[in-house]
């Protein structure tokens, strides 16, 4: 007589876990959409050249970093990355959706698609960076993740100073570039290492992101 062995099904996730995951995804999506609308509105509230700051890669990627660090801190890294992606896509949709339906129209689809493509890259990266900063057990990952986050503000500062000549905005971004490692790293050694990593990340991001964007805008 032969017997047929069966492999038992994997246990289903508890309903509470499923609800929690759905709730986190809803917060990331809804928060991204709302903040996308608010960044559009903020461009009308802020004076003069400060109007460009809310619509920046540093501000939007800060949301993805916060999602990974706070909303998904008890989840796995891959879920933090997905949460960051969802939040940044929500920002793009909220910003351009309000421009289309709440203002005079978003115009060509070219730049919305460019920003959507960037969101699909930066969202997972900075969602994971936020998780690494919060949960990282080794110095290297904490330094790299926080250095990349600080480097965003360095990139923005370079863009305002070099490309636009908006010096008050450049000083504000560069202040954040320095303050992020000083305030968020765990000890003096990590602060120094993170600041060094941030310098490298700022220069790389400026060359890889801001320069091509300026060329496209021209």
């Amino acid at each position: 007589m032969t017997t047929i062995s069966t492999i038992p099904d994997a246990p289903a996730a508890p309903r509470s876990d499923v609800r929690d995951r759905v709730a986190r995804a809803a917060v990331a999506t809804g928060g991204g959409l709302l903040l996308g609308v608010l960044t559009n509105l903020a461009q009308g509230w802020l004076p003069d050249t400060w109007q460009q700051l809310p619509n920046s890669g540093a501000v939007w990627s800060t949301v993805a970093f916060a999602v990974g660090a706070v909303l998904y801190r008890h989840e796995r890294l891959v879920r933090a990355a997905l949460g960051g992606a969802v939040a940044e896509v929500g920002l793009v949709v909220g910003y351009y959706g309000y421009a289309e339906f709440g203002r005079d129209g978003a115009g060509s689809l070219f730049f919305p698609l460019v920003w959507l493509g960037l969101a699909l890259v930066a969202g997972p990266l900075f969602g994971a960076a936020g998780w690494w900063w919060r949960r990282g057990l080794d110095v290297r990952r904490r330094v790299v993740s926080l250095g990349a986050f600080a480097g965003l503000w360095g990139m923005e500062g370079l863009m305002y100073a070099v490309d636009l000549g908006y010096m008050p905005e450049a000083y504000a971004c560069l202040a954040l570039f320095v303050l992020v490692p000083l305030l968020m790293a765990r000890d003096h050694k990590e602060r120094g290492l993170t600041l060094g990593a941030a310098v490298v990340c700022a220069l790389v991001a400026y060359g890889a992101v801001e320069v091509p964007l300026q060329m496209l805008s021209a």
Side-chain angles (χ1 to χ4, degrees), residues 110-115 118 208-218:
F110 178 73
F111 275 104
L113 291 175
V114 168
W115 280 106
L118 289 172
V209 178
E210 283 298 341
V211 170
L213 281 176
Q214 292 298 325
M215 293 173 65
L216 287 173
S217 298

Side-chain angles (χ1 to χ4, degrees), residues 3 12 15 35 41 54 56 61 70 74 82 84-85 95-98 112-113 125 155 159 164 170 185 199 208 213:
T3 60
R15 287 187 178 182
L35 289 171
L41 290 170
S56 70
S61 294
V70 179
H74 298 307
L82 290 172
Y95 179 89
Y96 284 104
Y98 184 80
L113 291 175
L125 286 176
M155 174 194 73
M159 184 266 294
L164 301 177
V199 171
L213 281 176

Side-chain angles (χ1 to χ4, degrees), residues 169-189:
E169 293 82 354
Y171 293 144
C173 290
L174 292 173
L176 288 169
F177 165 74
V178 175
L179 287 173
V180 165
L182 293 181
L183 297 179
M184 296 175 66
R186 297 191 182 186
D187 55 38
H188 293 315
K189 178 183 177 182

